Amino acid sequence: MNKSMRSRAFTGTALALAASAVLTACGGEDSSSTDTKAKNAPGTKAVAVSDPLVATFDGGLYVLDGESLKLADTIELPGFNRLNPAGDDDHVIVSTDSGFRVLNAARQAFTGVEYKGAKPGHVVRHAGKTVLFTDGTGEVDVFDPDDLSGGKKPQGRSYSSAEPHHGVAIELSNGELLSTLGTEEKRTGALVLDKNNKEIKRNENCPGVHGEAAAKGEAVGIGCEDGILIYKDGTFTKVDAPDDYGRIGNQSGSDASPILLGDYKTDPEAELERPTRISLIDTETAKLRLVDLGTSYSFRSLGRGPQGEALLLGTNGSLHVIDPETGKVEKKIPVVDEWQEPLDWQQPRPTLFVRDHTAYVSEPGKRKLHAIDIETGKKVTSVTLPKSTNELSGVVTGH
């Protein structure tokens, strides 16, 4: 895959992490064997993988070649682990029970760089910076992902939230840091800090705040239980949902489009709501459009294409390519068999990961991983893996 074609569109899809879920109930680095740690020491792999993908399975990680999908290596790592791009050509952030760990996916080895803390949560890439939010401590860590190349922990900015909570933060190109407000029991909105971590803006009109995405013009949206809160050009704007309870908890943005793609739920009492509508939020007009796709989806179903297309993997097995301006479904690309979102958010389900012009889709029921060309709708290649996968990610440059 040509690195020069890397789109800046995929700006850190925010993934849902239930507030009550505790990663420390799962295994992680502390339960790794001595042999596993030795195997994954820095510099143990001589052959680099091109544009690597990484997928989790019960007991470890698969590292795959991003073009052929050939399995390059298997890394043992017990427990429930999560994945996000670090923001450069080589690295992926792995969330374990002990905190964030940095994996050199190109070399199939952990670097030794760690950000320790209970309940590692969202990872956001934007404007050349990567931001980690540790839910169990409320700590925010900001660094330049290019500084990971030396194998040492980058020098970077840090901020401590007033209270630990399931939150998210993003640093803007002017050095402002937007970070959520809340406690373990209640989340209310967001504040903005200047370069010196001095608070300059605050908005607490966003109950149940969750997730973020950045759009064209550096408009940042954070989801609420009654709509979405937009921060742009130093000002907060609330976009109300048409329902009293209209939760937008997961969003996907593109710097090629002013419109954010979000989920949309309306039943606060549901054990698991399986919505069929999505939300499209115009950050320039502060208008929200709902589109019924006729199929449900999960929090791992949202993505953006290289031209800003809104992408959604439905439980009908198709990848929907949507014009964000009109809400029209331009293409339905059959990819996997029909599926249903499991009640437990940690259980595997088909997952979408987008990079450049390619949509990667996992099919855990068949132990398969597919690569789809977004423009043509054709399946480029597929691979069958030894075990069913859960999370799926890879290296992504450009913010």
Side-chain angles (χ1 to χ4, degrees):
M1 187 178 295
N2 187 349
K3 286 188 175 68
S4 67
M5 296 178 64
R6 283 235 167 95
S7 167
R8 291 161 56 101
F10 192 77
T11 56
T13 305
L15 298 176
L17 181 61
S20 60
V22 181
L23 282 174
T24 49
C26 307
E29 183 195 13
D30 293 339
S31 55
S32 298
S33 67
T34 302
D35 290 342
T36 301
K37 289 181 179 178
K39 176 184 177 183
N40 296 330
T44 58
K45 298 295 176 184
V47 180
V49 176
S50 175
D51 297 322
L53 299 175
V54 183
T56 67
F57 65 91
D58 186 8
L61 311 172
Y62 291 132
V63 181
L64 305 101
D65 182 281
E67 186 172 347
S68 68
L69 301 189
K70 180 180 178 181
L71 179 60
D73 197 20
T74 300
I75 299 173
E76 296 175 17
L77 189 67
F80 178 74
N81 303 294
R82 312 206 69 195
L83 302 170
N84 283 281
D88 68 350
D89 287 335
D90 299 321
H91 298 88
V92 168
I93 305 293
V94 183
S95 303
T96 74
D97 66 338
S98 61
F100 297 102
R101 298 180 64 186
V102 178
L103 174 72
N104 186 328
R107 294 288 179 179
Q108 310 112 65
F110 279 105
T111 66
V113 175
E114 295 183 61
Y115 292 83
K116 294 187 176 182
K119 305 182 198 175
H122 285 269
V123 178
V124 175
R125 298 171 297 107
H126 180 74
K129 296 295 175 63
T130 300
V131 184
L132 313 178
F133 195 104
T134 303
D135 294 349
T137 63
E139 290 295 315
V140 175
D141 291 287
V142 184
F143 59 88
D144 183 335
D146 290 339
D147 292 341
L148 292 171
S149 59
K152 295 182 180 180
K153 195 169 186 176
Q155 294 292 316
R157 176 181 187 175
S158 63
Y159 164 70
S160 297
S161 304
E163 298 261 3
H165 64 281
H166 178 48
V168 66
I170 178 172
E171 185 174 281
L172 305 182
S173 57
N174 63 3
E176 291 180 354
L177 180 70
L178 184 151
S179 190
T180 52
L181 290 163
T183 66
E184 291 183 357
E185 291 76 33
K186 185 179 181 181
R187 303 190 300 276
T188 58
L191 54 72
V192 180
L193 308 171
D194 66 12
K195 295 178 181 179
N196 300 313
N197 283 1
K198 178 183 178 182
E199 182 178 331
I200 55 175
K201 294 282 182 180
R202 174 184 289 243
N203 187 295
E204 296 190 60
N205 186 26
C206 187
V209 59
H210 186 274
E212 65 69 46
K216 183 179 181 180
E218 206 168 39
V220 177
I222 56 173
C224 317
E225 290 178 350
D226 58 359
I228 193 165
L229 189 63
I230 298 171
Y231 182 74
K232 183 181 180 181
D233 297 330
T235 302
F236 279 109
T237 303
K238 179 65 177 291
V239 181
D240 293 324
D243 299 277
D244 289 339
Y245 182 89
R247 182 180 188 269
I248 300 172
N250 301 281
Q251 312 91 41
S252 184
S254 164
D255 64 5
S257 170
I259 298 172
L260 298 173
L261 167 66
D263 59 1
Y264 192 74
K265 295 185 176 182
T266 58
D267 185 357
E269 306 301 326
E271 180 180 8
L272 174 66
E273 185 175 353
R274 295 185 172 96
T276 60
R277 290 186 294 177
I278 58 166
S279 56
L280 295 170
I281 306 99
D282 192 323
T283 60
E284 292 181 341
T285 63
K287 300 292 185 182
L288 184 153
R289 178 201 300 265
L290 297 177
V291 179
D292 197 326
L293 299 176
T295 181
S296 62
Y297 55 90
S298 89
F299 69 92
R300 293 184 188 159
S301 292
L302 282 65
R304 302 302 290 263
Q307 309 304 321
E309 309 97 318
L311 304 175
L312 185 131
L313 179 65
T315 56
N316 60 0
S318 292
L319 178 66
H320 299 69
V321 182
I322 305 159
D323 182 340
E325 298 283 347
T326 65
K328 180 183 177 181
V329 178
E330 297 181 325
K331 278 185 288 197
K332 290 183 183 179
I333 306 170
V335 183
V336 299
D337 289 344
E338 290 188 13
W339 54 282
Q340 185 179 57
E341 182 180 6
L343 288 174
D344 182 353
W345 73 273
Q346 292 189 357
Q347 291 302 305
R349 81 286 308 282
T351 295
L352 172 67
F353 172 67
V354 183
R355 186 170 63 191
D356 295 336
H357 299 260
T358 305
Y360 300 94
V361 178
S362 65
E363 190 170 13
K366 292 186 174 181
R367 295 183 287 113
K368 288 184 176 293
L369 179 64
H370 310 283
I372 309 296
D373 184 283
I374 296 169
E375 277 82 3
T376 66
K378 293 181 179 179
K379 189 174 289 187
V380 179
T381 188
S382 294
V383 66
T384 301
L385 296 168
K387 293 183 179 181
S388 294
T389 60
N390 197 339
E391 295 227 342
L392 174 65
S393 191
V395 301
V396 175
T397 56
H399 295 56

